[in-house]
Amino acid sequence: MTRTGDTDLTQSASDAHAEAVETAGVQGLLFDDDLRPMPEDVGFRGPTACAAAGITYRQLDYWARTGLVSPSVRPATGSGTQRLYGFRDVLLLKVIKRLLDAGISLQQIRTAIAHLSKRGFDDLTQITLMSDGASVYMCTSPDEVIDLLAGGQGVFGIALGGVWREVEGSLSELPTERADGHEDEDSDGHAGDELAARRRARMTG
C-alpha cells in the first residue's frame, strides 16, 4: 500500500486486523470486480462528462486547463472543437468529486490522480483509495485496506471498481461520439447497449 507520493505503511495487530476485516466487508472495499473499458476512440462531450461525474462545466474546464484531467479521446484544438472525454477520464472526474466532497485538498488530489493516471485499466479496478482526511493512500489488495483500517489511518475509502459501475450506469443512456466526429453507430449514438450488456453478463455469469 502506498501513500500517494510517500512511503509504505506498517501492519497492525491481529485483533484490530479482525475488526477491520468486518469493516472492509461492510463498506464493500474488497476487490472482486471484473470490469472492462470502452473502446478508446469513443468519448463523451463535456456536458455529458459533467453529468456523469456530478461536477460543473466550470470545474471541468478548469481541471482541463490545469492538466488535472484532460480529454484523452479528443482535446480542444481550436475554436468550435468539441473536447471528448474517455470513460477513464470520466471515472477520474468522479473520483475527484468524491475526494473534494470528503474535504481532501486539491494538492493531495492532484498527487493521487497523477498516480492513478499511470495505471492501466486492470490496475484501476483493483484499487481502493483510503484517506484519513489529510493524506490519500492507494491500496491494491484487501489486506492493505484492512491494515489501514486497523491502524486508524483509513477514515473513508473509495473503491474504484464501485465508482466504475456508477459511471457505467450514469453514461448508459447518454450520447457518445467517436474521435473522428461521428456518432457511435454501433449503439445508435449511445453507450447504453454495450454497458447494459456488460451488466447483464456480470449478473448472469
Side-chain angles (χ1 to χ4, degrees):
M1 128 195 29
T2 303
R3 185 169 65 187
T4 54
D6 209 330
T7 55
D8 292 346
L9 299 173
T10 57
Q11 295 186 342
S12 304
S14 59
D15 55 343
H17 187 279
E19 180 180 351
V21 169
E22 182 178 355
T23 303
V26 170
Q27 294 182 356
L29 301 180
L30 302 185
F31 302 82
D32 58 357
D33 290 299
D34 181 16
L35 304 168
R36 295 170 294 162
M38 292 179 61
E40 292 184 358
D41 65 338
V42 174
F44 304 88
R45 292 192 176 193
T48 301
C50 289
I55 62 174
T56 67
Y57 195 87
R58 184 176 180 179
Q59 288 175 310
L60 182 78
D61 185 60
Y62 176 70
W63 295 343
R65 286 188 289 106
T66 58
L68 181 57
V69 177
S70 300
S72 62
V73 177
R74 188 175 67 212
T77 56
S79 177
T81 303
Q82 290 286 345
R83 292 177 295 193
L84 284 184
Y85 288 82
F87 184 90
R88 179 198 185 100
D89 304 329
V90 180
L91 177 72
L92 293 179
L93 292 170
K94 184 81 168 180
V95 170
I96 293 169
K97 176 65 162 59
R98 289 281 187 85
L99 292 171
L100 284 174
D101 289 346
I104 305 301
S105 71
L106 192 57
Q107 181 180 359
Q108 285 288 336
I109 291 173
R110 286 188 181 277
T111 303
I113 294 301
H115 281 269
L116 291 177
S117 297
K118 298 175 183 177
R119 300 274 186 157
F121 272 107
D122 290 341
D123 290 337
L124 284 178
T125 61
Q126 299 297 313
I127 291 174
T128 286
L129 295 179
M130 302 291 292
S131 179
D132 55 8
S135 298
V136 179
Y137 306 86
M138 287 198 308
C139 301
T140 55
S141 74
D143 285 342
E144 290 177 349
V145 173
I146 291 164
D147 290 339
L148 263 180
L149 291 170
Q153 291 97 335
V155 174
F156 73 92
I158 301 173
L160 267 65
V163 178
W164 185 301
R165 286 193 169 124
E166 287 184 31
V167 172
E168 271 191 349
S170 299
L171 293 174
S172 62
E173 299 301 327
L174 296 175
T176 64
E177 185 175 313
R178 293 195 176 275
D180 59 10
H182 294 88
E183 286 190 340
D184 185 0
E185 296 177 356
D186 293 337
S187 60
D188 297 325
H190 289 75
D193 292 346
E194 183 177 356
L195 297 178
R198 293 178 187 180
R199 288 195 295 272
R200 286 196 300 270
R202 285 198 298 267
M203 292 175 64
T204 59

